[in-house]
Amino acid sequence: MTDQTPIKTSARSGGRNARRAARAAPLDAATRPIRAGMEGGRYKPLTDADVLKIHEAALEALETIGLCDAPPSGVEILTGAGAILGDDGRIRFPRALVEDMLAKAATSITLFGREPAHDLLLEGARVHYGTAGAAVNMVEPDGRTYRHSTVQDLHDAARIAHELDNVHFIQRPMVCRDITDNREMDLNTIYACCAGSTKHIGTSFTEPSFVPDALEMLHMIAGGESNWRARPFLSNSNCFVVPPMKFATEACEVMEACIRGGMPVLLLSAGMAGATAPSTIAGAIVQATAECLAGIVYVNAIAPGHPAIFGTWPFGLDLRTGAMTVGSGEQALLSAGCAQMHKFYGLPGGAAGGASDSKLPDMQAGWEQMCSNVMTGLAGCNMVYEAAGMHASLLGFCHESLILADDLIGQAQRCVRGIEVDDATLALDQMREVCLGGPGHYLGTDGTLSRMQTDHVYPTLGDRTSPKEWVEKDKPDLVEKATARKHDILSRRAPSAFDPATDAAIRARFNIHLTV
Amino acid sequence: MTDQTPIKTSARSGGRNARRAARAAPLDAATRPIRAGMEGGRYKPLTDADVLKIHEAALEALETIGLCDAPPSGVEILTGAGAILGDDGRIRFPRALVEDMLAKAATSITLFGREPAHDLLLEGARVHYGTAGAAVNMVEPDGRTYRHSTVQDLHDAARIAHELDNVHFIQRPMVCRDITDNREMDLNTIYACCAGSTKHIGTSFTEPSFVPDALEMLHMIAGGESNWRARPFLSNSNCFVVPPMKFATEACEVMEACIRGGMPVLLLSAGMAGATAPSTIAGAIVQATAECLAGIVYVNAIAPGHPAIFGTWPFGLDLRTGAMTVGSGEQALLSAGCAQMHKFYGLPGGAAGGASDSKLPDMQAGWEQMCSNVMTGLAGCNMVYEAAGMHASLLGFCHESLILADDLIGQAQRCVRGIEVDDATLALDQMREVCLGGPGHYLGTDGTLSRMQTDHVYPTLGDRTSPKEWVEKDKPDLVEKATARKHDILSRRAPSAFDPATDAAIRARFNIHLTV
């Protein structure tokens, strides 16, 4: 991609040389075969009738079951908007209220990067992939070991993800276990992520009282509150519900504070199908949909049109053991089905895809990560969270796996881009030219050469050599190649590091654990 | 699956014990969560308008470009049916002829196993996965080595595939390179596959003159010609075209002989997009469609309704190097797009999915194999060929990878099965029961316990342990587990071995290289 050799213009000289010359042409962002925000949606796991059934069931759940445990502020906001507080402490949502708030909700939002090149436009079936999660371990594939994750690991993950074209946002994927104070952990999480990348960042806050400090740091990074509010480059991943159908009291207070601070919110409902959500895929989707609709009412009752992501994240459960499983086919269906519901509402939405149950970046990890990544993408999910680096059913994060996911997600994105059908791509003219008195092959046709870079995705570390070449190259190991790339990225200065004055100011104001 | 512990009836006793008891229940084939022939089709890579454009372009290609190099017998058959032989030696197909033959073609066919349990019904969007290919190497992941494949390797592959629930048919995946005589190689291929499994077998024949011997052996295995003709358990994988738009003269003669012998044929068009087919996905699909339509005319002009599979197998090419690539996203789109064309014609169809460019069963292999396997399945492909064990862009076959593909394909099948939406699965009643005065979780509900086995696919070798359990189990390696299973399967007597009298008769008549 960065090869600067001039383009050879005599493209018709044919064969291998012409291909080699053409492939040296650098591509600008607009002609790259894949990019953030490609349109998905050609996979519809649900029929239209099924979508309506799920919608009706979600409305009925909101109207008849409702949610308990809203904070006093939330009770006031929700009842003020028209929700009904029952004697049993549950807040129920008349369907007209839900419909009104759906009409007020933002249907198109931009998640800003600190650099505009990383802005993400969430609307329609535009698909983006990124990290997320709260892993507590770092996976070291070299020694096949798990160890506690640290703030340095998180910073390194951000720096690596910053370099990967196909990782479009960086929601905090792991917890800084070397920081025991929750306030310091939350603040250092922001610092570690933002100092590592100018892509859009996502994170959570343990307590509502931490939000003002977080906003203060964000204002410093942005160069003032007005800059921050103009382009908020960090969003709040907010587990505002404790499924089934309970508000998470403190998280709701965090959400209110974030909304007031101009921060986009991810309304995250993370039920486990068979434990905290129905075991059936349809049922888990119904509950997640109902919970996120409650969140939409909540957000839009505070600030109509505030940027919010419909975060239906139902997770799979291995019913034999009661353990979480995120790498399964059931998981891929859960997330793809949710994505279709987002499209039905016309709301920006997100779901979990791309996580693995395997402990290491092995073949199982590959098939599990691809399955849910490609299916949620094909279903048109705006935000595919946990798409890279996630192992051990969300308990482990792996830098090498993150790096390999760039190839994996790139392939999924190529699938999301889909099949273009027009006169040029149908290629009848080429077929005639080649077959009727022509060379009998398409190797040197304009239709082949001109599309070499714009139509095809080539892996960075994925291996396509012949067995013979592979032996000659000393049988390169995929994970070792990823480790080498990791060391290469981390050996350079972070391109997105803060300027010295800002960094000094932040370090003077907050206890930053990351060493310079 | 084979645990015979009696079912515990007090299913409401809740929690882990109840789940453990319930999971011990053996499942009959009808209640298994996945099985051969699940209905796909919810993924439509092409719009309806795109499908029509491809259809029209294929008809125009047949009408105006046509195919050359038909054998004299083929020229007679095709012109007799209404095709037009031009002065340029090309046979062109008026669209009315194609439409007439489409009306005569079999829309539903059964590929028989030697045991009825393995019969495959090809119709609609019913999906089956199996092996195929002509790899020339065996991959030994233990030593990371490639070596020439042998008849013993092929037999072992058949024996292993026979034991794998999610490998539904066994088309010969590799070439017996230890047999230099082509006639003996073809005959020993039949022997090695059929002696290893009673699932449906596919193979090819180098020359038409080998077909009578092959039929003789098949009659012996079947216990007579009438038995063979009643339930032909082997089909001819026939590369009847040399793309672009040329008949493969000898293969056409093989096809004619096979049809006369009552053998189903796979009409296999294996163009390489960018070399022997247009580089665009749509163009490669057009050409493959046109070629297979010519095959449909050919077959049905000989024997209307003869079982034939619409085998559009366009392969991807790495345009930078000119090397084949089968693990790419472009490949997944090629095969999924073809599957949609099969559905449009209402014909039994097959395409390639599940092959990898990686040399070893590593993470790349996992993501590549899942990508095309799940996408072709979701697109409703009747026969997904090369779905298991295939590496190095079709040059290598790996027994361990074949074994791991059972889990991988099982997961893809779960995705193909999709999301059931009805009153029970919507689970509003459960939600009410759990949330309103209930336990607040779904662990012990009937809806969870009763569906533990029927809704969920559990991997055989895929690992779902926690990091702690994984360490306690001494960090099991996925590929090593597959090697252990291989040794276990091969250490037992093949359950599908021929009875001694048949075996002796075959060995007396033919030079069988496989030692007893």
Side-chain angles (χ1 to χ4, degrees):
Chain A
M1 291 295 198
T2 54
D3 190 334
Q4 296 299 316
T5 315
I7 306 170
K8 192 176 165 193
T9 48
S10 57
R12 292 301 298 274
S13 60
R16 192 164 284 223
N17 285 342
R19 288 197 303 279
R20 287 205 170 132
R23 81 171 185 235
L27 290 179
D28 58 43
T31 51
R32 288 184 57 214
I34 48 171
R35 50 195 163 276
M38 308 203 82
E39 285 275 338
R42 299 233 35 93
Y43 168 49
K44 293 186 167 46
L46 301 163
T47 65
D48 291 348
D50 289 344
V51 168
L52 283 176
K53 281 184 206 162
I54 289 171
H55 169 59
E56 290 294 330
L59 289 182
E60 191 176 335
L62 285 171
E63 204 157 34
T64 62
I65 301 172
L67 284 82
C68 58
D69 294 349
S73 54
V75 172
E76 195 182 326
I77 290 162
L78 292 166
T79 55
I84 297 156
L85 178 64
D87 294 340
D88 56 359
R90 304 188 76 88
I91 297 185
R92 293 181 172 80
F93 299 76
R95 73 184 285 154
L97 170 62
V98 178
E99 285 162 357
D100 284 354
M101 289 301 182
L102 280 169
K104 288 183 186 175
T107 56
S108 166
I109 68 178
T110 299
L111 294 183
F112 296 98
R114 255 165 56 236
E115 294 179 297
H118 298 305
D119 288 359
L120 309 177
L121 174 61
L122 276 54
E123 66 176 19
R126 290 169 57 92
V127 178
H128 309 87
Y129 291 93
T131 60
V136 291
N137 296 295
M138 269 303 293
V139 185
E140 301 278 13
D142 186 10
R144 302 168 67 89
T145 52
Y146 274 58
R147 61 167 178 78
H148 290 185
S149 49
T150 68
V151 67
Q152 184 68 49
D153 295 326
L154 177 63
H155 180 60
D156 291 348
R159 289 188 54 191
I160 292 166
H162 184 73
E163 299 289 320
L164 305 176
D165 280 346
N166 303 323
V167 176
H168 305 127
F169 60 88
I170 302 168
Q171 186 155 304
R172 171 220 57 207
M174 63 189 135
V175 174
C176 308
R177 293 183 74 179
D178 52 342
I179 305 180
T180 49
D181 178 82
N182 283 343
R183 178 186 297 261
E184 289 195 6
M185 187 180 71
D186 286 357
L187 293 167
N188 275 273
T189 295
I190 296 177
Y191 182 93
C193 291
C194 291
S197 178
T198 57
K199 294 184 180 180
H200 188 82
I201 305 295
T203 191
S204 64
F205 304 111
T206 319
E207 294 182 22
S209 66
F210 301 170
V211 176
D213 277 359
L215 287 167
E216 187 182 342
M217 186 189 286
L218 292 165
H219 297 166
M220 292 172 83
I221 295 171
E225 180 171 355
S226 62
N227 285 354
W228 155 258
R229 285 190 175 266
R231 295 178 51 85
F233 49 80
L234 180 142
S235 53
N236 172 224
S237 170
N238 193 298
C239 289
F240 74 107
V241 285
V242 181
M245 304 297 273
K246 291 192 294 284
F247 282 111
T249 315
E250 278 210 308
C252 288
E253 293 167 341
V254 167
M255 180 178 77
E256 294 175 24
C258 289
I259 293 172
R260 285 191 299 268
M263 194 184 292
V265 291
L266 162 63
L267 294 165
L268 207 169
S269 151
M272 291 209 291
T276 57
S279 78
T280 54
I281 295 170
I285 296 175
V286 166
Q287 185 180 296
T289 300
E291 289 166 345
C292 285
L293 286 173
I296 289 289
V297 172
Y298 203 149
V299 169
N300 288 280
I302 298 172
H306 185 82
I309 299 163
F310 204 81
T312 46
W313 289 31
F315 285 114
L317 202 70
D318 189 308
L319 295 179
R320 302 168 307 178
T321 61
M324 203 163 178
T325 163
V326 297
S328 64
E330 292 85 359
Q331 178 67 63
L333 289 166
L334 282 166
S335 294
C338 285
Q340 199 175 340
M341 293 309 298
H342 310 162
K343 300 313 107 200
F344 170 71
Y345 293 117
L347 294 179
S356 169
D357 296 322
S358 179
K359 260 49 70 192
L360 295 169
D362 58 6
M363 184 168 162
Q364 178 189 348
W367 82 61
E368 292 183 340
Q369 294 188 16
M370 179 56 86
C371 187
S372 51
N373 264 332
V374 77
M375 284 172 59
T376 46
L378 291 173
C381 190
N382 293 139
M383 296 285 279
V384 184
Y385 294 96
E386 318 235 28
M390 218 62 179
H391 289 265
S393 316
L394 309 187
L395 291 175
F397 188 82
C398 177
H399 287 146
E400 280 79 1
S401 183
L402 167 64
I403 288 168
L404 293 170
D406 195 42
D407 276 352
L408 188 157
I409 293 170
Q411 178 162 339
Q413 283 182 280
R414 181 62 187 87
C415 297
V416 169
R417 169 174 157 176
I419 305 176
E420 287 92 7
V421 180
D422 53 37
D423 283 349
T425 59
L426 287 166
L428 259 179
D429 288 347
Q430 268 193 77
M431 213 180 290
R432 253 184 221 107
E433 181 190 322
V434 163
C435 294
L436 300 178
H441 65 78
Y442 299 80
L443 284 167
T445 65
D446 284 342
T448 296
L449 289 171
S450 68
R451 292 172 172 275
M452 187 182 305
Q453 299 279 41
T454 55
D455 278 19
H456 294 256
V457 173
Y458 302 104
T460 305
L461 297 181
D463 186 288
R464 290 181 172 180
T465 58
S466 70
K468 183 169 172 289
E469 292 167 309
W470 179 69
V471 169
E472 287 164 3
K473 291 188 171 185
D474 210 15
K475 305 180 180 178
D477 179 85
L478 185 71
V479 177
E480 286 173 11
K481 285 198 283 185
T483 300
R485 184 154 190 223
K486 175 179 78 169
H487 291 320
D488 177 53
I489 292 172
L490 297 181
S491 69
R492 290 179 260 135
R493 186 173 182 279
S496 47
F498 304 130
D499 69 82
T502 303
D503 196 58
I506 294 172
R507 288 177 179 272
R509 169 69 182 83
F510 301 102
N511 183 16
I512 299 302
H513 289 242
L514 204 62
T515 51
V516 187
Chain B
M1 289 297 198
T2 53
D3 189 334
Q4 296 297 316
T5 314
I7 306 170
K8 191 174 165 192
T9 47
S10 58
R12 291 303 297 276
S13 59
R16 191 162 285 221
N17 285 340
R19 288 197 303 278
R20 288 208 169 127
R23 81 171 185 233
L27 290 178
D28 58 41
T31 52
R32 288 185 56 214
I34 48 170
R35 50 194 163 275
M38 307 203 83
E39 285 275 338
R42 299 234 33 94
Y43 168 49
K44 293 186 165 45
L46 301 164
T47 64
D48 290 348
D50 290 344
V51 168
L52 283 176
K53 281 184 205 162
I54 289 171
H55 169 60
E56 288 296 328
L59 288 182
E60 189 175 336
L62 285 171
E63 203 156 34
T64 62
I65 302 171
L67 284 82
C68 58
D69 294 349
S73 54
V75 172
E76 195 182 326
I77 290 163
L78 292 166
T79 54
I84 298 156
L85 180 62
D87 294 339
D88 56 359
R90 303 188 75 88
I91 297 185
R92 293 182 172 81
F93 299 75
R95 73 183 285 154
L97 169 63
V98 177
E99 285 162 357
D100 285 355
M101 289 302 181
L102 279 170
K104 288 183 186 175
T107 56
S108 166
I109 67 179
T110 299
L111 294 183
F112 295 98
R114 258 167 52 238
E115 294 179 298
H118 298 305
D119 289 359
L120 308 178
L121 174 61
L122 275 53
E123 65 176 18
R126 290 169 56 93
V127 178
H128 309 87
Y129 291 93
T131 60
V136 292
N137 296 293
M138 270 303 289
V139 185
E140 301 278 14
D142 186 10
R144 301 167 66 88
T145 53
Y146 273 58
R147 61 166 179 78
H148 289 185
S149 49
T150 69
V151 67
Q152 184 68 50
D153 295 325
L154 176 62
H155 179 61
D156 290 348
R159 289 188 54 191
I160 292 166
H162 184 74
E163 299 289 321
L164 305 177
D165 280 346
N166 303 323
V167 176
H168 306 128
F169 59 88
I170 303 169
Q171 187 156 303
R172 171 220 57 203
M174 63 190 135
V175 175
C176 308
R177 292 184 75 178
D178 52 341
I179 305 179
T180 50
D181 178 83
N182 283 343
R183 177 185 297 261
E184 289 195 4
M185 187 180 71
D186 286 357
L187 294 167
N188 275 273
T189 295
I190 296 177
Y191 182 93
C193 290
C194 292
S197 178
T198 57
K199 294 185 180 179
H200 187 81
I201 305 294
T203 192
S204 63
F205 304 110
T206 319
E207 294 181 23
S209 66
F210 301 170
V211 176
D213 277 0
L215 286 166
E216 187 181 342
M217 186 189 287
L218 292 166
H219 298 167
M220 293 172 82
I221 295 171
E225 180 171 356
S226 64
N227 285 354
W228 155 257
R229 285 188 176 268
R231 295 179 49 86
F233 49 81
L234 180 143
S235 53
N236 173 224
S237 170
N238 193 296
C239 288
F240 74 107
V241 285
V242 181
M245 304 297 276
K246 293 192 292 284
F247 282 112
T249 314
E250 279 211 306
C252 288
E253 293 167 340
V254 167
M255 181 179 76
E256 294 176 23
C258 288
I259 292 172
R260 285 190 298 269
M263 193 183 294
V265 290
L266 163 61
L267 294 165
L268 206 169
S269 152
M272 291 211 288
T276 57
S279 77
T280 54
I281 295 170
I285 296 174
V286 166
Q287 185 180 293
T289 300
E291 289 166 346
C292 285
L293 286 173
I296 288 291
V297 173
Y298 204 149
V299 169
N300 289 281
I302 298 171
H306 184 84
I309 298 163
F310 204 81
T312 46
W313 291 30
F315 285 115
L317 202 70
D318 188 309
L319 293 179
R320 302 168 307 178
T321 61
M324 202 163 178
T325 164
V326 297
S328 63
E330 293 84 359
Q331 179 66 65
L333 288 166
L334 282 166
S335 294
C338 285
Q340 199 175 339
M341 294 309 298
H342 311 162
K343 301 312 106 201
F344 170 71
Y345 293 116
L347 295 179
S356 170
D357 296 322
S358 180
K359 261 48 70 190
L360 295 169
D362 58 7
M363 185 168 162
Q364 178 188 349
W367 82 61
E368 292 183 340
Q369 293 186 17
M370 178 56 86
C371 187
S372 51
N373 264 333
V374 76
M375 284 173 60
T376 46
L378 290 173
C381 190
N382 294 139
M383 296 285 279
V384 184
Y385 294 97
E386 319 232 32
M390 217 61 178
H391 289 265
S393 316
L394 309 186
L395 291 175
F397 188 82
C398 176
H399 286 147
E400 280 79 0
S401 183
L402 167 64
I403 287 168
L404 293 171
D406 196 42
D407 275 352
L408 188 156
I409 294 170
Q411 178 162 340
Q413 284 182 280
R414 180 62 187 86
C415 297
V416 169
R417 168 174 158 176
I419 305 175
E420 288 93 5
V421 180
D422 54 36
D423 282 349
T425 59
L426 286 167
L428 260 180
D429 289 347
Q430 268 193 77
M431 213 179 292
R432 252 185 222 106
E433 182 189 321
V434 162
C435 296
L436 301 178
H441 65 77
Y442 299 81
L443 285 165
T445 65
D446 284 344
T448 296
L449 289 170
S450 68
R451 291 172 173 275
M452 188 181 307
Q453 300 279 42
T454 55
D455 278 19
H456 293 257
V457 174
Y458 302 104
T460 305
L461 297 181
D463 186 288
R464 290 182 172 178
T465 58
S466 70
K468 183 169 172 290
E469 292 167 311
W470 178 69
V471 169
E472 286 164 5
K473 289 187 171 186
D474 211 15
K475 305 179 180 177
D477 179 86
L478 185 71
V479 177
E480 285 173 12
K481 286 198 282 185
T483 301
R485 183 154 189 218
K486 175 179 79 170
H487 292 319
D488 177 54
I489 291 172
L490 297 180
S491 68
R492 290 178 259 136
R493 187 174 181 280
S496 46
F498 304 131
D499 69 82
T502 303
D503 197 59
I506 295 172
R507 287 176 179 273
R509 170 67 183 84
F510 301 102
N511 182 16
I512 299 302
H513 289 244
L514 204 63
T515 50
V516 187

